[in-house]
Amino acid sequence: MTEAERHTYDVVVIGAGGAGLRAAIEARAHGMRTAIICKSLFGKAHTVMAEGGIAASMGNVNSNDNWQVHFRDTMRGGKFLNHFRMAELHAREAPDRVWELETWGALFDRTKDGRISQRNFGGHEYPRLAHVGDRTGLELIRTLQQQVVALQQQDEREFGDPEARIKVFAEHTVTRILKDGSRVAGVFGYARETGRFFTIEAPAVVLATGGIGKSFKVTSNSWEYTGDGHALALLAGAPLMNMEFVQFHPTGMVWPPSVKGILVTESVRGDGGVLRNSEGDRFMFKYIPDVFKSQYAQGPDEADRWYADPDNNRRPPELLPRDEVARAINNEVKEGRGSPHGGVFLDVSTRMPAEEIKRRLPSMHHQFLELADVDITAEPMEVGPTCHYVMGGVAVDPDTAQAEDVPGLYAAGEVAGGMHGSNRLGGNSLSDLLVFGRRAGLHAAEYAGGIGADRPVVGQQAVDAAAEEALRPFGLAEMVEPDGPPEGGGPPENPYTLHTELQQTMNDLVGIIRREPEMREALQRLARLRARAKQAVVEGHRQFNPGWHLALDLRNMLLVSECVARAALTRTESRGGHTRDDFPTMDREWRRKLLICRLAAGAETAEVTPRPNPAMRRDLMELFDAEELQKYLTDEELQHYSSEDAEGQE
Amino acid sequence: MSYQARFRVWRGDEAGGELTDYEVEVNEGEVVLDIVHRLQATQTPDLAVRWNCKAGKCGSCSAEVNGRPRLMCMTRMSTFSPEETVTITPMRTFPVIKDLVTDVSFNYEKAREIPSFQPPEGVAAGEYRMAQEDVQRSQEFRKCIECFLCQNTCHVVRDHEENKAAFAGPRFLMRQAELEMHPLDARKRRAEEAQEEHGLGYCNITKCCTEVCPEHIHITDNALIPLKERAVDRKYDPLVWLGSKIRRRTG
Ligand SMILES: Cc1cc2nc3c(=O)[nH]c(=O)nc-3n(C[C@H](O)[C@H](O)[C@H](O)COP(=O)(O)OP(=O)(O)OC[C@H]3O[C@@H](n4cnc5c(N)ncnc54)[C@H](O)[C@@H]3O)c2cc1C
Ligand code: SF4
Ligand code: SF4
Ligand code: FES
């Protein structure tokens, strides 16, 4: 029998980023004893790295803004593949979620009349991003962290125990969701510090584990982004959707090599920065696609006027949605007009005074000075695309954030799918975290609260199996040492080497521009890596052992990478964060289909199947004009909406 | 541009440990954390280290490089000569867990002792109005990435285990200052509280904390000294205290 520390809670939240903390605060507010689990220290989750801002149509800078406009921008950014209901809830609720942060102590930058200031960002019609310089994520996570502390202080006063109703299990990693029949029963994992196992029995589990970027070589994401939540959901029997859509942020650092991929915030462009190629040409004007022609300036003069007079000019094409800008940069480099280190130039130095750059973009100034010896107030930056965000994720009910098919499982934040369609707009993630984090916490609490005496139980067998799986890399080490290859064959493998090969494979073969033969090749390589990952061995003991941790993360990265590759191979069109060289155009028929990934019990790879994309509600459809809809919807769909009696048929 | 560098890394756990020598490749543009990662990938996979962002934003990778408290991800290898041996040790003020990873729970306990933001009564969410110049002071302190390098450096607790119970450390005294200067925080007497309960009196404004802060926050000048002044002023003159609160409100 496995030795594991056992706990019991009402709601377990996996993840202490924006989504997880907001969910936990809500669950606790509804009286649930809540546990938060995270792989890093408290306050270090990926959300801390967000820079530019949080999108909410408060209308503080331009009073024409409202939730309908935000909704429209979000759908356009996602090329109409978004779940309309999620996009609607998000746009409606984001302002309240931001204002709430102020009541917990957040200090956003202000407008002249003392309100929260809002900045321009790609794809957003009006200045919409609440921000704190370029460290908005830090403000968000610190505010939520401090609110958790405030709740603990309350418990201290009430019960003499700060952790009576909300406790953070920092540096703990979950490796399995445990079930009782079809229902969630709890989680299993290990404490990183000691290597000891733990289980938490709980009827409701919220996944808030973030993204998958560490499967790619050039990425803005940290070691945490190994797709754990995506894999945990699959392994628990819940489906993923939209996994082919991976966002490559157009501007990552490209030099020196050790910082390649680190993000250069979009605020640089939002605040006036421009992109140029090696010939000094502001090339983005060449890349405005037809669907956006009417909304973007056709030349530099109009674009430059827009910053001061947005009502009478159209926005600069540097602020197109990210997929467009990333592809444009990719193309400039491919055609030989790149910068010395294989990127393009991003320049603010000729656009505003040095002091203003330092005030508006302090951490970019610092980052380039310290890491690349580049003073952005005096010279341009070199930038290129970097893997940044996954639009795909757990298929959830839009209102409750409940994962399909697994009662008791919820998902919010980057790990959930649907909200952003095929491409996320900048700033829409932080707001997504709060809107759906709150909803997930609320509904998880209601579910757990309503379960009464019928609580699911964690079975010993499942715990033993999870422990065995986690110990496998050590077992192998013992097996191989005396007499050669372990059972199952193959030489022992170094997890770091496997990880590097996986990243190279995804980067080269399922990256920003995709082709069928390359994706087939990727799938073959992934299959080989999967076999080799079973032979991963680790040195040393269980206490804080990064090699062991990585060996266990490989399972998740491989599973998720296969989903990405398979879904990408299946979708024979180009849309948002999925660009096919062999199918370069957007196909209106494909908008009606979503690709779903499932893992059958005992199977090693997920299956991908299409299913219909739910049709948008009529009142939301009416927010767009017919001409625009024609670009996205099939004739059949358009007819359906234009016929009088179609109401209520969905 | 590559060369073989000599590194000495502290390896061990709570039971003890020692500096271990490595020879490892260094390439152009790399930082100390890159080298630690190369050691993991090629020589010693179980070398324990914390990191997340690799861009100086999360405050995870704190350690002492050649005896100086630093973020490993922001310490360029080009600041050392190729002949120099680079020594990395864990933060000294906190108990070692393993290798470069220390038990920083002291800081989380102190965080919990500082009374939270108290929202002003009768101001609904969405109705908060504050001027930029009034939020700016607290915003400087909110740049803190909680790397705990200042906590590690401050001589009040570095090598003085006995002071830990009574002293919140620069990071959390600064938290009091942040809330004290927050235009809408409704809690009164924060400066006195810092003095009476969180050990502000132990601080003799040596500025060592400020020197190591990777966010270049003026911890001593902008947070600790003003906090001390307010604590002293108000102790003797209740009107000053009242005045300061009122003046701050009209912004
Ligand atoms: C550099 C950068 C800048 C960005 N800037 C912006 C921006 O300006 N605006 C915007 O809207 N978005 C931005 N984004 C995107 C946004 O920051 C992320 O999408 C978002 O923060 C994800 O939040 P989350 O709560 O879903 O997950 P995270 O904040 O990533 O948190 C995930 C949590 O899950 C935990 N976890 C994961 N797996 C496990 C496991 N197996 N067991 C236990 N715990 C686990 C992790 O430890 C962590 O605590 C940016 C992203 C990056 C990388
Ligand atoms: S200024 Fe005060 S808090 Fe900072 S190091 Fe010196 S004594 Fe410590
Ligand atoms: S104040 Fe500076 S040194 Fe101290 S924890 Fe914060 S960022 Fe680190
Ligand atoms: S890794 Fe985030 S500060 Fe160094």
Side-chain angles (χ1 to χ4, degrees):
Chain A
M1 206 171 97
T2 313
E3 249 185 73
E5 200 178 291
R6 282 175 175 264
H7 306 270
T8 307
Y9 280 83
D10 299 320
V11 174
V12 172
V13 178
I14 313 177
L21 294 181
R22 187 63 192 81
I25 289 168
E26 195 68 14
R28 155 71 174 71
H30 287 80
M32 294 296 116
R33 280 192 71 235
T34 304
I36 302 168
I37 312 176
C38 55
K39 295 203 282 191
S40 295
L41 290 171
F42 190 29
K44 310 291 182 202
H46 219 282
T47 299
V48 81
M49 293 160 68
E51 294 164 356
I54 172 165
S57 61
M58 296 178 287
N60 291 350
V61 172
N62 189 322
S63 58
N64 292 327
D65 205 8
N66 56 41
W67 76 261
Q68 288 94 335
V69 185
H70 191 184
F71 169 80
R72 236 172 21 210
D73 290 344
T74 301
M75 293 300 294
R76 283 175 185 149
K79 300 270 160 59
F80 274 66
L81 198 89
N82 323 49
H83 196 301
F84 67 90
R85 177 64 176 159
M86 291 178 92
E88 179 195 7
L89 289 170
H90 167 259
R92 280 182 190 266
E93 294 176 5
D96 282 339
R97 296 285 78 76
V98 173
W99 285 322
E100 172 179 81
L101 294 178
E102 285 197 304
T103 70
W104 296 341
L107 285 175
F108 291 101
D109 288 349
R110 319 305 296 180
T111 60
K112 289 233 156 46
D113 62 353
R115 294 165 204 260
I116 297 175
S117 171
Q118 300 187 267
R119 67 156 47 114
N120 284 305
F121 237 58
H124 293 281
E125 187 167 342
Y126 298 117
R128 188 177 285 144
L129 270 66
H131 56 91
V132 186
D134 50 8
R135 57 159 190 88
T136 313
L138 174 64
E139 187 67 14
L140 186 94
I141 203 155
R142 201 64 83 231
T143 302
L144 294 169
Q145 178 185 353
Q146 287 165 348
Q147 181 59 15
V148 168
V149 167
L151 293 171
Q152 293 182 324
Q153 291 172 344
Q154 238 175 50
D155 280 3
E156 168 84 60
R157 287 192 293 272
E158 223 171 292
F159 304 99
D161 171 12
E163 294 179 333
R165 289 181 295 182
I166 189 162
K167 181 174 160 83
V168 183
F169 294 81
E171 301 195 309
H172 282 58
T173 302
V174 173
T175 60
R176 282 277 173 172
I177 306 277
L178 303 173
K179 286 169 67 179
D180 181 356
S182 67
R183 297 185 301 165
V184 163
V187 299
F188 174 91
Y190 59 90
R192 303 174 76 81
E193 187 182 305
T194 58
R196 289 206 198 99
F197 294 133
F198 70 93
T199 65
I200 303 182
E201 200 165 67
V205 171
V206 179
L207 293 171
T209 50
I212 67 161
K214 263 298 164 198
S215 298
F216 291 80
K217 186 172 168 210
V218 180
T219 176
S220 65
N221 294 171
S222 83
W223 67 268
E224 291 203 310
Y225 269 26
T226 48
D228 294 6
H230 291 79
L232 290 170
L234 278 178
L235 289 163
L240 307 183
M241 64 193 272
N242 297 353
M243 290 305 290
E244 64 275 36
F245 299 110
V246 177
Q247 179 168 82
F248 290 81
H249 194 291
T251 59
M253 293 176 82
V254 294
W255 183 260
S258 72
V259 300
K260 190 163 179 164
I262 291 182
L263 192 74
V264 180
T265 174
E266 189 168 322
S267 322
V268 176
R269 283 169 287 137
D271 287 358
V274 293
L275 290 165
R276 293 202 184 94
N277 61 21
S278 59
E279 293 161 9
D281 181 23
R282 225 176 128 178
F283 58 84
M284 278 310 298
F285 291 102
K286 292 186 308 202
Y287 291 95
I288 307 173
D290 282 344
V291 285
F292 291 120
K293 275 255 150 65
S294 61
Q295 294 144 30
Y296 286 82
Q298 300 298 315
D301 294 341
E302 180 181 4
D304 285 349
R305 285 196 304 268
W306 173 84
Y307 292 100
D309 181 12
D311 292 339
N312 297 307
N313 294 286
R314 289 168 299 176
R315 55 201 4 255
E318 276 88 0
L319 294 179
L320 277 161
R322 288 177 178 170
D323 51 324
E324 310 288 355
V325 184
R327 272 192 300 271
I329 293 177
N330 203 64
N331 200 55
E332 287 296 306
V333 175
K334 208 173 87 189
E335 293 182 357
R337 293 185 296 275
S339 66
H341 301 107
V344 295
F345 296 106
L346 171 61
D347 184 29
V348 277
S349 64
T350 58
R351 311 278 299 171
M352 57 179 106
E355 278 318 305
E356 195 171 340
I357 295 174
K358 284 191 212 162
R359 188 177 58 77
R360 289 206 205 190
L361 303 164
S363 65
M364 282 304 108
H365 181 248
H366 183 71
Q367 181 174 312
F368 272 87
L369 209 54
E370 300 272 327
L371 296 177
D373 290 324
V374 168
D375 178 358
I376 68 169
T377 66
E379 52 191 318
M381 301 161 244
E382 274 186 78
V383 296
T386 179
C387 177
H388 185 57
Y389 185 89
V390 61
M391 273 67 71
V394 181
V396 291
D397 174 74
D399 286 80
T400 62
Q402 147 123 57
E404 287 176 18
D405 299 347
V406 183
L409 190 61
Y410 297 78
E414 191 167 339
V415 70
M419 158 69 207
H420 305 285
S422 67
N423 174 51
R424 172 178 73 86
L425 292 185
N428 267 2
S429 171
L430 294 185
S431 40
D432 165 10
L433 308 183
L434 298 174
V435 167
F436 294 102
R438 177 187 150 276
R439 286 183 164 267
L442 171 68
H443 292 281
E446 282 180 357
Y447 173 84
I451 213 143
D454 184 29
R455 274 178 86 100
V457 257
V458 166
Q460 188 59 41
Q461 232 182 343
V463 176
D464 290 341
E468 199 185 306
E469 176 184 48
L471 286 177
R472 194 183 152 89
F474 287 109
L476 275 174
E478 279 156 29
M479 276 189 279
V480 287
E481 253 158 42
D483 14 57
E487 62 170 327
E493 297 279 356
N494 176 345
Y496 292 95
T497 310
L498 293 171
H499 186 206
T500 308
E501 288 182 33
L502 167 66
Q503 291 181 313
Q504 195 73 52
T505 301
M506 291 306 284
N507 223 76
D508 295 349
L509 305 177
V510 202
I512 178 164
I513 310 285
R514 298 160 175 178
R515 299 169 190 90
E516 176 173 337
E518 291 182 357
M519 288 185 283
R520 292 203 182 281
E521 165 74 23
L523 283 165
Q524 282 172 11
R525 287 200 206 171
L526 290 171
R528 286 198 295 273
L529 282 169
R530 183 156 28 83
R532 288 169 59 196
K534 290 194 186 130
Q535 307 302 128
V537 295
V538 297
E539 278 174 30
H541 48 80
R542 277 161 69 178
Q543 201 187 16
F544 217 114
N545 185 338
W548 179 40
H549 303 163
L550 181 60
L552 297 180
D553 294 342
L554 281 173
R555 177 198 71 189
N556 302 336
M557 283 189 274
L558 282 163
L559 206 49
V560 171
S561 297
E562 294 220 20
C563 289
V564 174
R566 256 176 232 284
L569 183 61
T570 311
R571 185 174 282 272
T572 48
E573 67 155 349
S574 292
R575 180 185 296 273
H578 170 62
T579 304
R580 290 280 301 252
D581 208 29
D582 40 1
F583 296 93
T585 53
M586 191 161 79
D587 174 354
R588 294 181 300 169
E589 280 298 336
W590 261 113
R591 195 201 68 82
R592 308 179 70 182
K593 278 180 258 176
L594 300 175
L595 296 176
I596 302 295
C597 304
R598 276 176 204 280
L599 189 68
E604 290 205 315
T605 62
E607 297 234 317
V608 175
T609 46
R611 82 167 176 213
N613 189 3
M616 205 193 297
R617 252 189 7 248
R618 174 177 288 264
D619 59 310
L620 296 176
M621 199 62 94
E622 281 166 357
L623 296 172
F624 301 88
D625 59 35
E627 206 182 326
E628 180 168 18
L629 290 177
Q630 271 169 15
K631 296 170 190 162
Y632 297 104
L633 270 57
T634 62
D635 296 343
E636 191 189 332
E637 288 172 286
L638 287 166
Q639 246 163 30
H640 170 81
Y641 281 103
S642 57
S643 66
E644 287 292 325
D645 54 8
E647 190 76 53
Q649 276 187 4
E650 282 316 317
Chain B
M1 282 296 294
S2 300
Y3 67 95
Q4 293 290 315
R6 281 199 305 276
F7 265 73
R8 310 190 78 191
V9 183
W10 195 88
R11 303 297 306 269
D13 54 28
E14 64 207 323
E18 59 184 9
L19 288 168
T20 307
D21 290 298
Y22 298 97
E23 261 201 37
V24 52
E25 185 183 307
V26 173
N27 304 311
E28 190 182 350
E30 287 184 332
V31 295
V32 168
L33 185 62
D34 289 314
I35 311 308
V36 171
H37 284 158
R38 182 162 301 125
L39 286 173
Q40 284 182 328
T42 58
Q43 300 186 31
T44 172
D46 63 342
L47 168 59
V49 61
R50 283 195 184 104
W51 69 284
N52 280 65
C53 67
K54 212 173 165 290
K57 293 182 201 313
C58 72
S60 303
C61 64
S62 308
E64 302 192 0
V65 181
N66 290 347
R68 301 195 50 185
R70 307 266 327 182
L71 295 177
M72 284 184 275
C73 72
M74 297 303 278
T75 305
R76 298 275 299 271
M77 283 307 295
S78 59
T79 55
F80 310 106
S81 72
E83 295 76 39
E84 207 172 334
T85 302
V86 179
T87 305
I88 319 177
T89 48
M91 284 192 284
R92 189 162 96 200
T93 303
F94 311 118
V96 167
I97 293 173
K98 187 182 164 209
D99 306 336
L100 302 175
V101 172
T102 56
D103 176 359
V104 291
S105 55
F106 164 76
N107 300 289
Y108 289 94
E109 282 154 25
K110 293 295 165 186
R112 222 183 252 167
E113 288 169 12
I114 308 296
S116 298
F117 172 68
Q118 192 175 320
E121 244 171 77
V123 187
E127 298 302 322
Y128 282 42
R129 297 288 177 274
M130 296 175 263
Q132 182 61 38
E133 61 262 32
D134 291 336
V135 298
Q136 218 139 305
R137 285 188 297 178
S138 298
Q139 278 185 332
E140 181 192 2
F141 310 142
R142 289 182 75 81
K143 285 193 326 203
C144 170
I145 56 175
E146 300 207 329
C147 64
F148 307 132
L149 285 173
C150 58
Q151 304 281 95
N152 172 52
T153 305
C154 175
H155 65 92
V156 176
V157 282
R158 194 171 168 100
D159 301 325
H160 287 282
E161 200 59 33
E162 70 281 6
N163 288 341
K164 279 188 176 171
F167 185 63
R171 195 278 170 257
F172 296 103
L173 291 167
M174 179 178 86
R175 167 79 170 141
Q176 276 289 30
E178 171 210 320
L179 291 165
E180 162 78 23
M181 296 178 199
H182 187 302
L184 292 177
D185 176 57
R187 190 178 176 90
K188 301 185 169 69
R189 300 191 75 252
R190 284 195 183 268
E192 294 85 328
E193 211 167 45
Q195 187 74 22
E196 289 156 16
E197 291 168 39
H198 303 123
L200 181 58
Y202 283 83
C203 164
N204 54 354
I205 56 175
T206 57
K207 301 196 187 184
C208 315
C209 51
T210 307
E211 271 165 35
V212 297
C213 176
E215 286 293 301
H216 307 298
I217 303 171
H218 296 94
I219 309 171
T220 324
D221 286 348
N222 292 354
L224 306 182
I225 293 176
L227 202 61
K228 278 174 177 278
E229 285 170 356
R230 288 183 189 206
V232 173
D233 283 357
R234 283 188 252 160
K235 253 206 173 105
Y236 298 111
D237 187 354
L239 278 179
V240 172
W241 171 81
L242 204 63
S244 73
K245 278 279 173 186
I246 290 169
R247 263 203 310 280
R248 290 197 298 124
R249 282 297 164 72
T250 57

